[in-house]
Amino acid sequence: MGDFNLALLIVAIVVCVIVLLVSVYLLVNYQHPDDKNQAYFPKFVVVFGISIAAISILMLPADVANRQACRNAIYNGACNLTLPMKDLWLVVYIADAILVFFIIPFAMFYYEGDQDKSVGKRVKSALLWVGMTAIVCGLLLGILYGLVGKVDFTVRHLSSPATTFPSSLTDFSSTQPCIGTSNHQCSAYSASASSEKTWTMNTTFPEYVVALATIVGSVLFCIFGGVGIACLPLGLIFSFVRRPKAVITRSQYIKEATELGKKARELKKAADALHQEERSGSKGRKWRKNVKAVEKELLLLEEDVKALEEMYPQGEKAEATWAFTVLGYFLKLVLGVIGLIVSVAWVAHIIIYLLIDPPLSSFLNEVFIKLDDVWGLLGTAAFAFFCFYLLLAVIAGAMMLGLRLVFITIHPMKWGATLMNSFLFNVGLILLCSISVIQFCATAFAYYAQATAAQEIFGHTLQSLRGIKYLYKYNVFQIAFVVFAGLTFVYYAAFGWRKRKTTGRFQLST
């Protein structure tokens, strides 16, 4: 038993180191050239935030493995040698909340501050904004915790009379499961509805902070996750359907490139005009709307340029480039089909296990358990994959809605061209939704993840919290998730096969 716990500790340390190295790798390769050798504090926040998000997702499989470490214990103190998962959960998610609501906003305000101002003034301005946010959040959390920071547990009082133990085990059968010669009834059978009582207890403040952060993240999760669970695989599949079928001629390339050049000049004029307005101090609602419109048109223009380069590869290795392009689209098809199977399995599991009462089947829970029987960590690995896939769906849904709805700020991640404010925004979104992803997975796979620290925090405590418990009692977030997923499936079935039409001349709103 001790050897297993030591091995689990070593694996946890190794995984944390790997996650840290991967976070640094992503930062180095995605960062914009303008941010090299500067903006060190935002970079530290990005690396730390990515690491916390990844570790939080991996902690649920680790929690399951930690539970298995003392599953067959032969002495009571064996579980004391395992990892203190409840404390680790609270540390990770308190750090998550601090990053999302305080440190990342400070880093963004500082990074986006006027470059003409001194470092001290930029820090002062960022602290002012974050300080105001901290005061409001602190007062709100304190008031809510004082008024409704309680959990209500429904319990049933059971009692049974004592009797002499039978001399023969043949007295027990499926029709007589209890000891007794009169009515042969167990206390669970004889308890009346009047024996139910409600126990009210004060939850801890860290658990309450995690609960409220989970609610905020769950609102975004059910929207972005529901959209993303459908658009992630279908986007890859329809990208293959809309792929370029053949290389275009040089004359066609020149014609399309000329049109894109005109569009680029229009966007440059619009950007210069907005920059001039910013310098003059007229940054109103119309200005912000025009900035988002320019950002959206710029992303669409970049997509058109990339598509044109694919249809007319240039250089000495043009044929090889075209071959890799074709193979890339076939790889998207394969990944899209695999993703579609996983997405359908997720939606089916939610309906079968969560929305139907009583559940028709434990479905994926049974799959993970059977995989564990094949090999000890196979079910845990599959479990971790499904949790990670849900987080990828959230990111895909946020990007899809950001490209189509002007009121959502667009912060795309691009290889070698991502500014730190976009990095910080996406890391904050991932961190905020990661709490809800874990809570959602802990609920969806309650049978597989039973008796874990995550179940105690996200199952019993969160779902019994006063005022919040009704959102989980009536499966509000699960229903919203399935509805958004269904609407997105219908949208892609109706319009996904169509190629996007390039927009016409771009004009600022007046």
Side-chain angles (χ1 to χ4, degrees):
M1 188 62 59
D3 294 337
F4 185 91
N5 298 332
L6 179 61
L8 182 60
L9 179 61
I10 294 174
V11 169
I13 294 174
V14 171
V15 167
C16 289
V17 173
I18 294 175
V19 166
L20 180 62
L21 294 176
V22 171
S23 301
V24 174
Y25 174 81
L26 292 174
L27 173 68
V28 171
N29 287 277
Y30 270 91
Q31 69 175 344
H32 197 281
D34 293 344
D35 287 328
K36 288 186 177 180
N37 301 320
Q38 60 179 344
Y40 290 108
F41 176 69
K43 289 178 181 178
F44 169 78
V45 174
V46 166
V47 171
F48 186 64
I50 295 175
S51 301
I52 290 293
I55 289 172
S56 65
I57 298 296
L58 293 173
M59 277 183 65
L60 190 53
D63 202 349
V64 174
N66 195 61
R67 175 205 61 191
Q68 294 175 349
C70 62
R71 181 176 56 182
N72 299 319
I74 59 176
Y75 62 96
N76 293 332
C79 291
N80 295 331
L81 301 177
T82 56
L83 298 176
M85 291 305 302
K86 185 175 181 180
D87 294 334
L88 291 176
W89 275 118
L90 293 177
V91 168
V92 167
Y93 281 111
I94 290 296
D96 192 316
I98 293 174
L99 279 169
V100 170
F101 296 107
F102 301 109
I103 297 180
I104 288 180
F106 171 80
M108 291 186 69
F109 284 129
Y110 175 79
Y111 179 83
E112 296 178 348
D114 192 347
Q115 300 295 326
D116 296 332
K117 294 182 179 180
S118 64
V119 175
K121 290 184 177 180
R122 291 167 64 188
V123 171
K124 183 179 179 181
S125 177
L127 285 175
L128 180 62
W129 283 102
V130 175
M132 293 173 60
T133 304
I135 292 174
V136 173
C137 290
L139 289 174
L140 183 62
L141 285 173
I143 293 172
L144 289 176
Y145 179 70
L147 294 177
V148 292
K150 298 177 176 62
V151 287
D152 298 321
F153 295 109
T154 301
V155 297
R156 173 171 289 184
H157 178 73
L158 303 178
S159 61
S160 180
T163 186
T164 305
F165 197 81
S167 58
S168 174
L169 295 179
T170 57
D171 293 344
F172 293 101
S173 66
S174 59
T175 58
Q176 184 181 323
C178 303
I179 300 173
T181 58
S182 58
N183 51 15
H184 302 298
Q185 287 186 334
C186 294
S187 56
Y189 294 116
S190 60
S192 62
S194 60
S195 64
E196 286 190 356
K197 295 182 179 179
T198 300
W199 285 359
T200 300
M201 303 171 60
N202 288 323
T203 184
T204 63
F205 186 73
E207 289 180 339
Y208 193 73
V209 172
V210 171
L212 291 187
T214 303
I215 295 299
V216 176
S218 295
V219 175
L220 297 176
F221 167 75
C222 65
I223 299 173
F224 294 147
V227 172
I229 201 75
C231 76
L232 178 59
L234 293 180
L236 293 172
I237 294 174
F238 284 111
S239 177
F240 171 80
V241 173
R242 299 190 301 264
R243 73 190 187 282
K245 303 298 192 299
V247 178
I248 62 176
T249 62
R250 180 175 176 81
S251 60
Q252 290 176 312
Y253 172 78
I254 293 174
K255 179 182 178 181
E256 295 293 334
T258 302
E259 292 296 325
L260 293 179
K262 293 179 181 179
K263 184 66 175 297
R265 287 191 291 272
E266 292 177 7
L267 286 176
K268 186 177 184 304
K269 290 180 181 179
D272 291 340
L274 292 173
H275 187 62
Q276 190 67 28
E277 289 184 23
E278 182 182 14
R279 288 187 172 181
S280 64
S282 56
K283 294 170 60 176
R285 181 182 300 178
K286 184 182 70 174
W287 181 85
R288 289 191 293 270
K289 180 180 179 181
N290 286 331
V291 168
K292 293 179 181 180
V294 169
E295 289 177 349
K296 179 178 179 180
E297 291 296 326
L298 182 59
L299 288 175
L300 296 178
L301 178 64
E302 291 176 351
E303 288 184 5
D304 291 337
V305 171
K306 182 180 178 181
L308 185 61
E309 291 175 349
E310 288 181 347
M311 290 186 292
Y312 190 77
Q314 303 179 50
E316 297 179 356
K317 300 180 180 180
E319 294 183 358
T321 302
W322 173 252
F324 279 113
T325 299
V326 174
L327 290 175
Y329 278 104
F330 276 100
L331 179 62
K332 287 183 178 181
L333 176 63
V334 173
L335 294 177
V337 172
I338 295 174
L340 183 61
I341 295 173
V342 176
S343 294
V344 171
W346 251 118
V347 175
H349 179 77
I350 293 170
I351 296 173
I352 293 173
Y353 184 69
L354 295 179
L355 300 186
I356 297 178
D357 189 21
L360 295 179
S361 169
S362 57
F363 194 32
L364 291 177
N365 291 282
E366 291 288 348
V367 174
F368 298 148
I369 292 173
K370 290 181 180 178
L371 289 176
D372 276 335
D373 294 336
V374 175
W375 181 55
L377 293 177
L378 189 58
T380 305
F383 177 47
F385 169 75
F386 270 80
C387 294
F388 256 114
Y389 184 83
L390 205 58
L391 187 61
L392 292 176
V394 170
I395 299 172
M399 291 304 300
M400 177 186 175
L401 292 178
L403 289 173
R404 284 163 173 77
L405 302 177
V406 178
F407 59 84
I408 296 180
T409 303
I410 304 170
H411 289 275
M413 296 284 291
K414 299 179 183 178
W415 188 268
T418 305
L419 294 172
M420 292 312 301
N421 59 341
S422 297
F423 241 131
L424 291 166
F425 177 86
N426 286 285
V427 170
L429 178 63
I430 293 171
L431 282 169
L432 187 58
C433 292
S434 65
I435 303 177
S436 302
V437 169
I438 293 300
Q439 189 274 329
F440 197 86
C441 291
T443 304
F445 304 127
Y447 182 55
Y448 181 71
Q450 59 184 330
T452 58
Q455 269 291 320
E456 182 178 350
I457 296 174
F458 298 110
H460 310 304
T461 302
L462 184 61
Q463 296 181 19
S464 300
L465 202 61
R466 185 173 296 178
I468 295 177
K469 61 182 180 180
Y470 299 104
L471 296 173
Y472 298 97
K473 180 180 180 180
Y474 298 106
N475 298 320
V476 173
F477 296 123
Q478 290 88 339
I479 293 173
F481 182 91
V482 173
V483 169
F484 278 106
L487 291 176
T488 308
F489 272 113
V490 172
Y491 170 82
Y492 267 94
F495 306 106
W497 57 273
R498 298 181 182 179
K499 290 187 177 182
R500 180 180 62 80
K501 294 182 180 180
T502 57
T503 56
R505 293 180 60 84
F506 174 74
Q507 294 181 348
L508 296 176
S509 62
T510 57

